[in-house]
Amino acid sequence: MYYNGIYHEFYQYNPDGSFNPNTSYNIVWGHSVSTDLVNWITLEPAIEPDTPNDIKGCWSGSATIVSGDQPVIIYTGVIDIEKHQVQNIALPKNRSDPYLREWTKAGNNPVIQSGVPGLNSGQFRDPTTGWIGPDGLWRIAVGAQLNGYGAALLYKSEDFLNWTRVDHPLYSSNASIMFECLDFFAVLPGSNNGLDMSSAIPNGAKHVLKMGMNFGEDVYVIGVYDLKRDAFVPDTDDSRLWPRIDYGNFYASKTFFDSKHGRRIIWAWTTETDSSSDDIAKGWAGIYSFPRTIWLDNDGKRLLQWPVEEIESLRRNEINHQELELKKGDLFEIKGIDTLQADIEIDFELTSIDDADPFNPSWLFDTEKHCQEADASVHGGIGPFGLVILASDNMEEHTVVHFRVYKSQKNYMILMCSDLRRSSLTPGLDTPAYGGFFEFDLEKERKISLRTLIDRSAVESFGGGGRVCIMARVYPVSLVDDDHQPHVYAFNNGSATVRVPHLRAWSMRRAQVSHG
């Protein structure tokens, strides 16, 4: 949340050690603060499991600014070894402390219990940020398993402390056995300004319901918040076509309204994909993605995401290339940057769109499989073209972020892949080939943009102006070999020549992280 000039980041933290949080009952709310979303001060935990209402862990939840100046945290408490879950509230002990270091739990906790027919009390968690409903009362949604299906249960309150369940869910679907890590927010088509859910929402706005499904995929559906029914009505009920927030290693994402800049910001947890013994040796497990601005595309069908502009404060030593031409088989090395910590922006301009291969709609249902089969070594009509990053001298290790262009019946479909299968010689790593599709009007716009942030093991890529985003974790041997900087290349392996009108890249300084 943003409050009185300070950004607050709360996160699931395991003080017992660098293990996956799901393996411990002692989960607390870690707390860090920042004035710029880049440099952070780590504080003592905000909430710890010390009451019967959360004795087996303080799990996820949300922060809401009530009445303009009262921050409130609502979070899931686990009450026993069977992992039965309830919802609790915490308030800052001293609002005049700019860092809000200490929090006090409400005397009437738990404020929401699970006594709902058909509700699995072990799958009842992650309350959302509050919003104002049609009757002027506060609303929140809580992720749940209801009668064996995923549901966003709806609750209302006058004072944010005493809650009553609405007699129907905000939304439910058989698309998943459980909805967790919910988020619900309003967006305006074509406007990158964020909307404050605790204020009146303008006419013409759409709503987004984001759900964690299958315990690892953050999907979202765009629709309308029907004020008469007090329910969310999605534009499409076909869950197979619900897009993902990010097609890589990106889960439990959460947005908040940044009142300082009038934008909505999203970020997420990205897990380690090496071994648990590696995590113990490193002393940490799990990181946050870099904060992104998130907004709705002009056509109202897709969310767009882009790194917040503050990250540009870390840029140094810019290198710039213009009017490059990449023929089939070409590799162009990007030199002069720190290839382990870099920000690369590149535009690919198509010289012809007639060579596009035909699109098979069945690929939408298993994009990762298609990225494996149509990898960067497989020639296509237009593409693959993109970046080869973190490459060893002999290319035994490398990660590829690339595009392919396909012609569908109505338009062009762009496949974006982040292929990690040769990212490391270390055995036993999880190295998938992530991928996602986006629609593109190549008749109007011949340029396809790619931005990739490299922060050692973190590779975060944004395709088509943020239409598809892929967060990846890689562990090449070169990360621990100080004598060899890995290589970065722009490449094309398609039949059609691709032009690069602009290529800009920067080395990135380390952010400052301190303890307060």
Side-chain angles (χ1 to χ4, degrees):
M1 67 177 181
Y2 179 77
Y3 181 72
N4 282 355
I6 303 288
Y7 294 101
H8 295 259
E9 179 188 30
F10 302 102
Y11 47 94
Q12 300 280 267
Y13 178 65
N14 183 353
D16 293 336
S18 51
F19 321 115
N20 185 316
N22 296 329
T23 64
S24 170
Y25 288 120
N26 189 24
I27 294 302
V28 308
W29 271 44
H31 185 192
S32 295
V33 292
S34 174
T35 57
D36 60 7
L37 294 170
V38 176
N39 304 293
W40 292 87
I41 299 171
T42 303
L43 306 175
E44 291 299 307
I47 311 173
E48 297 179 283
D50 56 8
T51 74
N53 305 313
D54 57 19
I55 196 63
K56 295 300 182 182
C58 300
W59 283 11
S60 196
S62 300
T64 302
I65 311 296
V66 179
S67 303
D69 64 350
Q70 174 63 65
V72 182
I73 283 172
I74 184 163
Y75 70 98
T76 297
V78 182
I79 61 174
D80 54 32
I81 59 172
E82 281 79 37
K83 294 190 175 179
H84 294 128
Q85 294 151 32
V86 298
Q87 316 311 319
N88 301 306
I89 273 180
L91 303 162
K93 192 172 183 179
N94 177 11
R95 274 189 284 166
S96 64
D97 172 11
Y99 290 172
L100 303 179
R101 288 177 175 86
E102 296 182 79
W103 292 74
T104 302
K105 296 173 185 177
N108 64 328
N109 282 338
V111 296
I112 299 175
Q113 300 193 56
S114 60
V116 178
L119 174 65
N120 180 347
S121 63
Q123 305 282 9
F124 176 55
R125 56 183 171 270
D126 312 332
T128 64
T129 299
W131 73 92
I132 302 293
D135 51 8
L137 301 182
W138 283 103
R139 296 286 194 282
I140 61 165
V142 182
Q145 182 186 89
L146 187 66
N147 299 316
Y149 295 133
L153 300 186
L154 189 60
Y155 293 83
K156 62 182 179 180
S157 171
E158 289 187 30
D159 59 5
F160 221 88
L161 292 174
N162 299 281
W163 292 90
T164 305
R165 183 174 65 89
V166 178
D167 62 6
H168 60 269
L170 177 69
Y171 180 70
S172 62
S173 168
N174 63 3
S176 177
I177 61 168
M178 161 75 185
F179 290 162
E180 64 175 357
C181 305
L182 293 180
D183 203 2
F184 186 61
F185 55 94
V187 284
L188 271 175
S191 170
N192 60 6
N193 292 325
L195 296 175
D196 184 353
M197 293 293 285
S198 60
S199 302
I201 301 301
N203 292 331
K206 306 281 280 187
H207 276 73
V208 176
L209 180 63
K210 194 279 302 186
M211 301 154 283
M213 297 202 330
N214 306 318
F215 307 107
E217 296 179 1
D218 266 359
V219 305
Y220 68 90
V221 58
I222 297 167
V224 174
Y225 182 32
D226 186 327
L227 296 179
K228 290 182 180 177
R229 292 171 49 200
D230 203 7
F232 175 73
V233 182
D235 289 348
T236 175
D237 267 321
D238 187 350
S239 60
R240 298 175 305 166
L241 298 176
W242 289 349
R244 286 174 59 174
I245 291 283
D246 184 293
Y247 288 83
N249 182 343
F250 190 93
Y251 193 57
S253 61
K254 188 71 188 168
T255 70
F256 73 97
F257 177 68
D258 175 8
S259 58
K260 180 180 181 181
H261 294 289
R263 60 189 171 178
R264 183 161 289 273
I265 291 174
I266 186 168
W267 45 18
W269 170 42
T270 172
T271 62
E272 306 303 311
T273 55
D274 54 1
S275 69
S276 56
S277 59
D278 289 329
D279 297 340
I280 293 169
K282 286 183 300 195
W284 51 276
I287 62 171
Y288 261 94
S289 66
F290 201 81
R292 309 169 178 179
T293 306
I294 186 167
W295 71 99
L296 186 61
D297 204 352
N298 291 327
D299 61 9
K301 294 180 179 178
R302 191 149 198 147
L303 294 174
L304 305 180
Q305 300 167 72
W306 199 249
V308 297
E309 61 186 11
E310 286 88 337
I311 194 175
E312 296 170 18
S313 66
L314 297 177
R315 288 173 168 175
R316 58 185 176 87
N317 302 342
E318 178 181 353
I319 64 106
N320 198 315
H321 296 280
Q322 295 180 356
E323 303 305 330
L324 302 175
E325 193 170 82
L326 297 175
K327 296 185 172 67
K328 181 179 177 181
D330 280 355
L331 272 176
F332 176 83
E333 185 164 8
I334 303 169
K335 297 181 179 180
I337 58 169
D338 179 351
T339 54
L340 289 171
Q341 290 182 195
D343 185 358
I344 303 169
E345 292 186 357
I346 183 169
D347 288 337
F348 297 97
E349 187 173 45
L350 307 184
T351 57
S352 166
I353 57 176
D354 299 330
D355 296 325
D357 296 322
F359 175 67
N360 182 342
S362 69
W363 294 335
L364 292 170
F365 303 125
D366 195 347
T367 315
E368 289 193 14
K369 180 183 177 185
H370 187 56
C371 280
Q372 292 174 7
E373 294 172 347
D375 68 22
S377 68
V378 178
H379 304 302
I382 307 178
F385 55 84
L387 292 172
V388 179
I389 60 176
L390 296 171
S392 59
D393 292 345
N394 56 10
M395 293 287 272
E396 280 189 318
E397 291 186 325
H398 63 270
T399 297
V400 189
V401 184
H402 64 86
F403 297 115
R404 284 178 183 270
V405 178
Y406 294 103
K407 181 73 174 79
S408 68
Q409 286 184 329
K410 296 180 181 178
N411 215 329
Y412 289 86
M413 297 295 288
I414 313 297
L415 173 68
M416 177 177 165
C417 300
S418 185
D419 190 345
L420 319 185
R421 288 176 300 161
R422 297 185 64 185
S423 60
S424 179
L425 294 173
T426 304
L429 304 178
D430 182 22
T431 54
Y434 297 122
F437 278 99
F438 62 94
E439 200 170 344
F440 207 67
D441 190 348
L442 287 175
E443 306 283 354
K444 289 183 180 177
E445 179 60 71
R446 292 287 182 98
K447 291 178 189 172
I448 303 171
S449 69
L450 174 62
R451 183 177 182 185
T452 294
L453 298 172
I454 305 167
D455 187 7
R456 306 185 80 84
S457 72
V459 176
E460 203 162 353
S461 298
F462 303 81
R467 287 174 174 85
V468 165
C469 309
I470 303 178
M471 177 74 184
R473 302 297 304 281
V474 295
Y475 306 90
V477 174
S478 55
L479 285 185
V480 293
D481 183 355
D482 294 332
D483 296 329
H484 286 87
Q485 270 264 322
H487 302 274
V488 177
Y489 305 91
F491 82 97
N492 175 31
N493 206 16
S495 298
T497 297
V498 176
R499 278 198 293 266
V500 177
H502 300 288
L503 189 169
R504 301 169 72 199
W506 297 262
S507 300
M508 299 294 276
R509 290 184 291 108
R510 283 178 178 260
Q512 296 175 350
V513 179
S514 58
H515 291 267

